[in-house]
Amino acid sequence: MIGQLIDGPLWYFSLAVFCLGVLFRFFTILRAGLKPDLAIPRAGGAAGALRNLFTRFVPRRDVATRGRLTLVAGYLFHLGLFALLFFARPHVDFYAERITGFDWPALPYWAFIISAEIAFIGLLLLWLHRLLHPVTRLLSTADDHIGTGLVFLVMLTGCLALAQSFEPLRLLHLFLAELLLIYFPFSSLMHTFTFVFSRGYTGAIMGRKGVNA
Amino acid sequence: MEHDFAKGVEELGRQIDSRIASYFSSCVHCGLCAEACLFYTETGDPRYTPIYKLEPMRRLWKEQHTFWGKFAVKLGLSKPLTEQDFADWEELVYDSCTMCGRCSMVCPVGNDIAYMIRKEREGFSTAGYSPVGMQEATHRALTIGSPMGVTLKTLKAALAHVEKDTGLKIPMDQQGADYMTLFSSMEIVNFPEYIESVARIFDAAGVSWTISSEAFEATNSGIQIGSHEAAGELVSRVVNAAESLGVKFVISPECGHAYSAIRWEGPNLIGRPYKFEIIHILELLDQLQKDGRLQLSGHTDTPLTFHDPCQIVRRGGVVGPPRDLLGKVASGFVEMADHGTMNWCCGGGGGVSANERAEELRLKVFDRKRKQLEELGVKTMVTACANCRIVLEEGIEDREMDVEVIGLTELVAEYLTTKSAQ
């Protein structure tokens, strides 16, 4: 009964909350409005926005040294999570069956294990840094910890479910993923999408000034 | 300016546009911006983390623009901003931020934190929570025409000295000139050699220029304190003078934020584009040199470096011209490890140097520049901002260093090929 609920209605409900919530957040950003820049630009804003969207993936030299731990852990976590989310065999099958209608090559089991280890190491390092470093400790809110905790639990149950092939674990993993989907649009996890806006806005204004931001 | 806490909060809310909403939505509190801020790196105080300085604005954004924030307000669980919050954050917003924008360059999600601080100051100044020194400077700018109290008489006295020393006639209120030149009060009072250099260079290059008796001040205290009304008024004076003289260009002087104010914020403050163009003095000198109108001969072999004024280079986009000019007149020019758009601020921009309360902190964070200079081992530093220059000189004096600071325009003028030599 609970399994059916998690596998069926709750999945569709959480997916709907996620999609509508994300769209609502986009709307709240755009609704705030932005006055046009009347200064005569040196170069095009669109090119600057596009450039900044990609160049920010590479850290600046000075900060790459001073903030090495955050950067390395950040890369490990995001790359590992990306691989797990889109290329773990059960996920590929799930998307094909429930959303896309087609599948794509999945990671072999050994690559899945490596991706999971990388993602876990990155996430735990980031979390520890958040808890222990004076700067991140001062900045962090309950939302930051709830988001991190939920992602951690989803990853943990996902790995256990795959390793054990145990149906209740799969259901627990799916249930936690559904909670995450519902929480996502109302949290800082939204940076997954809104970074396009923030990098774009800054890149455009700096591009107009002729600065490679 | 009228001060009122409720109006301050209202103003702060009005400043939250799509850019700021996207920035707060994207921030994951990673803290990397701290590593780019000299106020954090030189003190180790986490409160100086750039994004933390935006906490009052973030709380207001959360209340007004997010589901949980609105939900908490409805349930009466939200803790609204208080006057105490403004009092507590005033030092962070004004004393420990020069709006240099170095943090904006390193944020992984691309947040322009300097822009956010600029906007946050609008709310703080409306609420009356801004440093007295900056309030007084803004008042003088609006009433006398200069934040340092420089009047037209003071300027004329300085120009008389320049005319005597150079034998040149300084054009004033010349209708139809190509260029109208602005100066910062700091240049008129502390570095009149800049005015002399400009006069000599323009004479040699055959530039048609003038100074307006109606608007000669480039400094814009309104931008620094965060008052769009004051800033708009100061920009309007320049625009009106330039348009009534019918000039094609207005030259922004060696002053960082003055350039940012007139070049990038100005049209937005007055709500329309100008009928003339803004050009920075370094851009003009570089252009004149490339066109062959500015003839230079000789160069210095002294090892020297260039301190990039943040508002001209990182926030203004004038990156190449100073280097092109230095390449012509200084064979010993070497760059600091972090230079150009990633330079370290002098520590006194964004009104910090006008804020007496911030002096001790400003001198402490000068250590970043000291380390850069010691790493390089040069004894001469060139810059292109009168405010940077005075702040650097004070830091050098305080740290008992043996380093000379010179203005780039003066250095260029030193190697000018005179008409008699041509």
Side-chain angles (χ1 to χ4, degrees):
Chain A
M1 178 65 185
I2 292 174
Q4 282 173 339
L5 178 73
I6 291 170
D7 246 340
L10 193 57
W11 159 250
Y12 289 107
F13 173 74
S14 59
L15 189 64
V17 170
F18 174 78
C19 293
L20 293 173
V22 167
L23 288 175
F24 176 72
R25 285 296 297 273
F26 290 169
F27 172 69
T28 61
I29 288 173
L30 297 173
R31 188 181 52 182
L34 195 61
K35 288 181 184 163
D37 182 11
L38 302 173
I40 299 167
R42 271 208 189 89
L50 198 62
R51 188 174 53 233
N52 200 38
L53 194 56
F54 294 101
T55 55
R56 291 272 169 154
F57 283 117
V58 183
R60 301 265 177 184
R61 184 189 63 86
D62 175 59
V63 171
T65 310
R66 293 185 59 91
R68 192 180 291 131
L69 176 69
T70 308
L71 287 167
V72 171
Y75 272 115
L76 289 177
F77 166 64
H78 284 95
L79 290 174
L81 184 66
F82 183 81
L84 292 177
L85 196 57
F86 294 106
F87 296 100
R89 168 54 64 196
H91 288 165
V92 172
D93 294 341
F94 184 86
Y95 298 139
E97 186 193 325
R98 305 270 183 118
I99 303 171
T100 61
F102 59 87
D103 66 358
W104 53 88
L107 290 172
Y109 188 72
W110 61 266
F112 167 84
I113 294 295
I114 290 173
S115 301
E117 283 173 354
I118 284 173
F120 271 117
I121 290 169
L123 183 64
L124 289 173
L125 281 175
L126 286 174
W127 208 355
L128 278 174
H129 187 261
R130 190 175 283 294
L131 290 164
L132 300 175
H133 194 279
V135 167
T136 41
R137 207 167 56 218
L138 181 72
L139 295 176
S140 297
T141 61
D143 169 48
D144 296 316
H145 293 292
I146 294 169
T148 312
L150 266 176
V151 171
F152 175 79
L153 289 174
V154 170
M155 280 169 48
L156 183 69
T157 52
C159 289
L160 289 174
L162 188 66
Q164 303 296 321
S165 298
F166 185 45
E167 179 61 7
L169 272 176
R170 186 191 71 81
L171 283 175
L172 180 63
H173 172 62
L174 184 57
F175 174 69
L176 286 166
E178 287 163 353
L179 284 187
L180 185 65
L181 282 176
I182 292 167
Y183 183 70
F184 189 102
F186 309 106
S187 70
S188 60
L189 296 171
M190 268 299 290
H191 75 275
T192 312
F193 298 112
T194 56
F195 85 91
V196 177
F197 288 82
S198 47
R199 284 187 188 179
Y201 281 133
T202 299
I205 204 75
M206 296 305 275
R208 287 169 67 81
K209 291 179 177 179
V211 175
N212 186 359
Chain B
M1 284 182 293
E2 200 186 332
H3 295 151
D4 182 308
F5 171 68
K7 279 188 183 166
V9 176
E10 202 180 309
E11 186 60 50
L12 193 59
R14 260 201 297 274
Q15 297 301 319
I16 300 173
D17 57 12
S18 289
R19 277 179 75 182
I20 289 183
S22 77
Y23 294 158
F24 281 129
S25 300
S26 297
C27 181
V28 288
H29 302 141
C30 70
L32 276 178
C33 52
E35 306 297 345
C37 175
L38 75 170
F39 287 94
Y40 171 72
T41 62
E42 302 315 299
T43 64
D45 186 341
R47 291 169 69 253
Y48 293 145
T49 302
I51 198 71
Y52 186 68
K53 298 167 192 169
L54 272 309
E55 192 59 13
M57 200 183 209
R58 187 193 71 83
R59 280 173 53 193
L60 199 62
W61 163 79
K62 198 178 171 195
E63 266 184 21
Q64 296 180 346
H65 295 261
T66 70
F67 172 81
W68 292 122
K70 287 178 182 173
F71 188 64
V73 170
K74 284 259 191 290
L75 294 182
L77 300 172
S78 161
K79 201 177 138 208
L81 282 175
T82 63
E83 290 219 49
Q84 190 57 48
D85 292 322
F86 274 55
D88 291 345
W89 257 265
E90 186 192 314
E91 185 231 342
L92 299 181
V93 175
Y94 287 100
D95 301 23
S96 67
C97 179
T98 59
M99 296 195 288
C100 80
R102 201 168 187 273
C103 50
S104 304
M105 301 295 281
V106 307
C107 174
V109 293
N111 289 353
D112 186 355
I113 301 169
Y115 171 79
M116 299 166 92
I117 293 280
R118 163 74 184 87
K119 294 287 189 179
E120 189 176 48
R121 284 187 180 185
E122 289 279 344
F124 271 66
S125 73
T126 305
Y129 286 91
S130 54
V132 175
M134 289 172 78
Q135 286 181 23
E136 288 171 352
T138 309
H139 180 71
R140 280 193 296 271
L142 291 170
T143 53
I144 302 172
S146 148
M148 290 172 68
V150 171
T151 61
L152 183 60
K153 276 185 189 170
T154 324
L155 174 69
K156 282 185 171 170
L159 294 180
H161 281 293
V162 172
E163 287 182 339
K164 192 178 162 195
D165 291 348
T166 60
L168 297 168
K169 177 78 186 146
I170 307 292
M172 182 73 88
D173 294 326
Q174 196 173 298
Q175 197 71 30
D178 288 341
Y179 296 89
M180 184 180 106
T181 305
L182 301 175
F183 299 109
S184 68
S185 291
M186 194 76 84
E187 284 156 351
I188 298 166
V189 175
N190 292 52
F191 307 112
E193 54 269 36
Y194 168 76
I195 305 175
E196 185 177 323
S197 302
V198 166
R200 287 177 52 222
I201 291 170
F202 286 179
D203 178 64
V207 171
S208 151
W209 69 295
T210 189
I211 298 170
S212 166
S213 58
E214 297 294 317
F216 53 86
E217 176 61 72
T219 317
N220 193 317
S221 312
I223 296 283
Q224 295 175 327
I225 199 168
S227 165
H228 62 273
E229 286 172 5
E233 166 61 25
L234 297 174
V235 168
S236 292
R237 291 177 188 175
V238 174
V239 172
N240 292 341
E243 290 183 351
S244 77
L245 285 173
V247 297
K248 296 181 186 125
F249 297 90
V250 167
I251 304 169
S252 184
E254 281 196 354
C255 173
H257 86 273
Y259 179 65
S260 234
I262 196 76
R263 174 68 176 90
W264 299 113
E265 280 213 47
N268 300 311
L269 287 164
I270 65 166
R272 66 169 175 89
Y274 306 144
K275 293 175 185 161
F276 52 87
E277 285 181 43
I278 299 288
I279 189 164
H280 189 266
I281 184 69
L282 297 185
E283 288 180 296
L284 179 58
L285 297 185
D286 193 37
Q287 194 180 303
L288 291 172
Q289 188 268 127
K290 282 176 178 157
D291 292 347
R293 290 173 67 187
L294 174 59
Q295 299 287 325
L296 301 168
S297 55
H299 56 78
T300 174
D301 294 325
T302 309
L304 53 81
T305 190
F306 183 65
H307 165 78
D308 292 273
C310 310
Q311 300 299 324
I312 294 171
V313 179
R314 175 163 49 240
R315 307 290 291 176
V318 185
V319 187
R323 289 167 171 80
D324 291 346
L325 291 166
L326 279 166
K328 295 288 174 193
V329 296
S331 61
F333 169 50
V334 280
E335 295 273 23
M336 287 181 255
D338 292 309
H339 61 268
T341 55
M342 282 310 286
N343 77 308
W344 288 94
C345 180
C346 64
V352 172
S353 64
N355 176 2
E356 286 170 26
R357 188 181 63 194
E359 189 181 339
E360 195 184 330
L361 182 61
R362 170 167 62 81
L363 289 170
K364 180 162 181 54
V365 302
F366 175 77
D367 265 344
R368 175 51 55 178
K369 194 54 66 180
R370 179 183 62 76
K371 287 172 203 164
Q372 280 194 290
L373 287 168
E374 285 174 357
E375 215 171 81
L376 212 56
V378 300
K379 301 284 181 199
T380 305
M381 179 163 46
V382 181
T383 192
C385 168
N387 188 60
C388 288
R389 190 170 167 182
I390 201 96
V391 168
L392 293 168
E393 283 179 350
E394 282 177 22
I396 286 165
E397 180 72 21
D398 185 68
R399 291 289 185 273
E400 297 177 352
M401 294 166 70
D402 177 25
V403 176
E404 183 193 15
V405 186
I406 51 177
L408 181 49
T409 305
E410 292 153 55
L411 185 65
V412 170
E414 222 172 284
Y415 295 96
L416 199 61
T417 307
T418 53
K419 279 181 180 168
S420 55
Q422 281 176 1

